[in-house]
Structures are given as structure tokens and as C-alpha cells.
Amino acid sequence: MPANNQVRETIQADYVIVGAGSAGCVLANRLSAGGARVLLLEAGPPDIHPLIHIPAGMMKLHRHPRLNWNFFAEPDPGVGGRAIHWPRGKVLGGTSSINGMLYVRGNPRDYDRWAQMGCAGWSYADVLPYFKKSESFAGAAAGKDALRGNDGEMAVENYRTVLPLTDRFVEAAQQAGIPFTPDYNGATQEGVGYSQNTRRGRFRASTARAFLAPARVRPNLRVETNVLACKLLFQGKTCTGVLLHRDGHYLIAKAARDVIVAAGAIGSPHLLQVSGIGDPAHLKSIGVDVLQASPNVGRNLSDHLASLVFHRIRDLTTVNDLVRGPRLVMEALRYVFKGRGAFTFGVTTALAFVKSREGLESPDIQLSFTPMSRDPKRHGFDELEHEAGATIAVCVVQPESRGSVLARSADPEEYPAIQANYLSAPRDIDVMLAGIRRAREIFAQPALAANSEGEIRPGSELTSAQALTDYVRTTVGSVFHPVGSCRMGADEASVVDPQLRVRGVGNLRVIDASIMPMVTTGNTNAPTIMIAEKGADLIKAATGV
Ligand SMILES: Cc1cc2nc3c(=O)[nH]c(=O)nc-3n(C[C@H](O)[C@H](O)[C@H](O)COP(=O)(O)OP(=O)(O)OC[C@H]3O[C@@H](n4cnc5c(N)ncnc54)[C@H](O)[C@@H]3O)c2cc1C
């Protein structure tokens, strides 16, 4: 603890929320709605940078030095010894301010599995009302579908501009035997359909814009940016607040009711560990006194990986063509005057959810189509090829491999060690290869084949399982969906119980992507928002505020 003269201010609140990300902004809105005093703390700055709000700006946020934590996983033998980049938003809105904006709820079976694993209250029937509550869906089914929400804060929209190449993918997938699904967030996830985005008109809909901005007029909500939560404070085993650090001085945030850790799948287990909640052997090894033994803090980490299959394209427009020379100027003007075109694009324009084999209850592969291609020789997200290309990203959505996030020292400023253990489970490789074959089948269908000049990656000469495995291990990348590092469960070994209370201590909850016992079938922003919606209700039911 710092000396008294180093503590510049003590802030009192009913609820203190650490992290203004996808979950934190939702929590701040819901908990302050009833009049409770809420303090929201964020390590990053306010979200004023224009690249956050222009959808295509995401390309430049991927490695942004100030708005992104830019973690790296440890060198991993499963991916050829590479240290994979793990971007995470460090700004109001957190990762929802830098992500690809794809809105995917997951498969109903995901949540039914959570419930079967002991997480009472988290079946699909239980969580559906929270998905509906948070969204305002502007797709074809808007207002007509009992499974979709119409008056939530989060705008969910279809693409404003769809390139014909995307239509060709959707057609080709059907030619390959994958049925069309008009709404993969509605009655049927399995199949091929068009992407939905968290976007309001021409602008990104981060949780900071959707949930926090309208709540900031409330006098009982206080938001502090550029402030790092260093340590959770306890009286006995009751959490009473958080020690904060900003520009060389300290602040203390005191919570009359709960402290809610919403610092994400890396930040949340890290903060628990440096505060004395974790595996005793690990805590002792880094010089942290054990407050509560909880061996699974930071364990059970899983992530989604994707392998790319891409083709050279002729006679159809790709994004690669739109972002160069005069066409870029045209696209910029189109965006400014019409709010349409390449500047409104997020990460992917159409999706297929498929099964790697017969007999599975739900899809285990996500195929994400993008009418563009990246130069494999250049690093990063923002290096599109000069020639026209189209990509199917093959993602194993139910991975079995598990890793860990473990503090390297007692210093809260030092980044933790992320051991992903990618592709350590043999089944993950099998599913990936099945997905690559499926992607190749789609590219081979008439709707796409006529415009393809051939497969660039993996390269049609790579056909054997060994050659494709080598390709996967040496080129695969993260799609940035880490979850599970503060696993929810009914068992004593879980980090939080189904009410999201940290086991063994009082007045402390974790509410963010880290609590997922298993990752969902798809991207993780929508499920995280749902977790925060439900978490806020659990808190209000318990405290009456
Ligand atoms: C590049 C990228 C693209 C993605 N694309 C998509 C997509 O298209 N669709 C989708 O569904 N998902 C996508 N995701 C994943 C999705 O955005 C995340 O799963 C989700 O945002 C996680 O929400 P969270 O609340 O758990 O964490 P975050 O949103 O990361 O929030 C955590 C917040 O806590 C703050 N914080 C951390 N530690 C501290 C501390 N000690 N003190 C104070 N503040 C702290 C962080 O700065 C951050 O603001 C993407 C992720 C990335 C990185």
C-alpha cells in the first residue's frame, strides 16, 4: 500500500467497476439506472480518436500504440514457436472500440452446455431475454422475429454495401451443400448467411457509445479514465475497494456494495492474482501473499484460431481494389456523403457455420468470408494485397486446447504471461483441416470458380494432412476471442459461481468474457454484452439496488 500522502483522493461509490470494455460499459449503464452511485474505472483514454468510429478504421487500431494493450502470447510450439499478437482495447469501450464489429450470439447449444455443466440460470432460454434486451436489430427480420430485440441500446445492422463477390460466396456455399440461413442469430445458426454488425448507420457501435454515452448524464455515474487498477482492497475477506494508479500518484475507490472486475480475459485474472486470489503455488512464486486459494484463476484459457484459404480473383471488385488510388478517394467521398461503401466495412461480410462431421449437435467450424486478401509476406492487419483476392478464414469454434494467463510478478503494471497452448489438442487440428477442405469445396463451386485464378494459400499443391498441418501451424493466427480465465461453475474449483461472485471472498464479482466456461460458437462481443446484462440483473436482485 502507498503511504497516506501518496493517496491523492478517495472516491466513494456503491459499485466500483474495473474496466470500461464490452461488459463494463453495459454494467455502468444498468447499475446506475436505479440511482446507485457507480464508479467506472478505465486504464485507457476517452474514445475520441476518429479511427474508432469509422468502421474501416479498425484496420489501423489493430496495433495502435495507445488505444491497444498489444499483448503477445508466449512463443508456442503449437504454432511453430511463434509469439502470437493479442490486441485488446485500452480505451473507453475496451475491445468493442477496436474490434471487427461482427455480431454473433453463438449457438443455443453453447448456453445449454453451460447449464449442463452446472451453471444454473445460463441456458439459452435463460440468456435469450438478455440478448434481446441489449439490441436494436435493423435487419430484414426487424420487429417481426420473437428472437430479436428492437429497442435495446446496441444497434445491430446488416452491411450497408455488399459487393457482388460476397453474393457469390453465399451462392457457392449453397452449391457446396450448405443451406442458406437468413439470420444466424435467429432460429438457425447452422448454414451460410450475411454478416450482421454492431454499427449505427455509418458509425461503429461500441459499448461506450451505445451504453455509456447515454448514461453519462446521470449524476450518480462517475467515469475515470487513464487510471490503472493495481490491487483489490480487502477487510478480512470482504472486498472494500480498489487501489488505483495514475501518473505517479494513487487514488482509492471505495465500494459500499460490490467491486466488479470487468477487465477482460487477461486483465481480470491478472488483477485477481496480484491481489492475492489464485493458485497458492503461483502466488508464492511471484511474492504475493495468498488471500484466497483459487487454483483456476488464469487457467482454462481458450481462444479461437483461424487459418486462411485465399484465391486470386478476376473480373469482380474486391476491397483490395477499393483502397488504392482514385477509388479510395471515391470511397472516402461516398462515406462522407452517403455513409456507404468500403469505409463502412467491418471484418467479414458473410459467414457459414458448419459441422466437421456428421452427428455433432452444433457446428464446430466458422467460415468467415472477406472480399479481400492480405499479403502473407507483410505483417499486420492492414496490409492488403495489391492484386485482387478473396479469403475464407477457417475457425475452429469449439477448441479443446487450453492455456493460462499468469502474473509474472507482483507488479500490476507488468504484463502477465499468456500461455495459449494452441493446437495442443489433436482434435483441434483435425477440425481445422476439415474446415480448410470445406473452404476449398466452396471456392471450387461454379459461383466462385469462374472468377478465381487459383488458390494462393495454402496453395493447391498442399493436399496431404501433414502438409496442411504444417501450413496451419506455421501460419495460423488468433481471431482474438480469449475467454475462460475466470471460469464460472457450480464446482468449488471454479473461479466464480453462477451468480458471478468470486468464490471464497465477499462483495467481489467478475463479469466479462473471462467467466465463460467454454467459448461460444462464434465471435465473443455479443455474448460478453449478454453476460453483463445478466450480471447487472443478478447484482440488482441480490442487493435490491
Ligand atoms: C482485433 C479484434 C477484433 C475482434 N473482432 C470481433 C468481432 O468482430 N466480433 C466480436 O463479437 N468479437 C470480436 N472481438 C472480441 C470481442 O471484442 C471481445 O471478446 C470483447 O470485447 C471482450 O469484452 P470484455 O468486456 O471481456 O473485455 P474488454 O472489452 O477488453 O474490456 C476490458 C477493459 O478493461 C480495461 N482494463 C484492463 N485492465 C485494467 C486495469 N487493471 N485497470 C483499469 N482498466 C483495465 C481495458 O483497458 C478494457 O477497456 C475482437 C477482438 C479483437 C482484439
Side-chain angles (χ1 to χ4, degrees), residues 18-23 41-43 62 69 87-91 94-96 98-102 227-229 262-264 267 347 480-481 512-513 523-526 528:
V18 178
S22 295
L41 305 166
E42 170 54 42
H62 189 60
W69 291 82
R88 297 276 101 197
K90 188 180 184 182
V91 58
T95 307
S96 79
I98 68 160
N99 74 7
M101 288 161 282
L102 206 54
V227 65
L228 185 83
V347 73
F480 320 121
H481 298 157
D512 59 26
N523 311 59
T524 43
N525 191 40
T528 305

Side-chain angles (χ1 to χ4, degrees), residues 41-181:
L41 305 166
E42 170 54 42
D47 59 338
I48 49 179
H49 199 299
L51 286 178
I52 295 172
H53 307 293
I54 301 169
M58 61 167 287
M59 300 278 212
K60 299 282 179 198
L61 299 172
H62 189 60
R63 284 178 190 257
H64 196 283
R66 279 180 298 105
L67 305 175
N68 192 325
W69 291 82
N70 288 307
F71 293 107
F72 278 84
E74 298 294 293
D76 192 330
V79 290
R82 290 175 298 141
I84 302 265
H85 179 219
W86 280 35
R88 297 276 101 197
K90 188 180 184 182
V91 58
L92 281 187
T95 307
S96 79
S97 287
I98 68 160
N99 74 7
M101 288 161 282
L102 206 54
Y103 182 85
V104 182
R105 288 178 175 180
N107 192 282
R109 280 293 303 145
D110 298 333
Y111 306 101
D112 289 342
R113 270 186 214 119
W114 291 9
Q116 281 164 6
M117 290 165 81
C119 301
W122 292 87
S123 71
Y124 181 60
D126 292 320
V127 302
L128 179 60
Y130 294 106
F131 278 117
K132 290 174 64 179
K133 179 179 182 183
S134 61
E135 77 164 347
S136 203
F137 179 51
K144 296 179 226 139
D145 188 336
L147 299 174
R148 301 305 303 254
N150 301 310
D151 45 19
E153 286 80 352
M154 174 60 72
V156 178
E157 300 185 359
N158 291 335
Y159 263 86
R160 306 195 114 192
T161 304
V162 177
L163 295 179
L165 186 51
T166 295
D167 297 325
R168 294 292 188 88
F169 165 78
V170 173
E171 204 184 327
Q174 291 174 81
Q175 289 168 343
I178 301 170
F180 181 71
T181 178

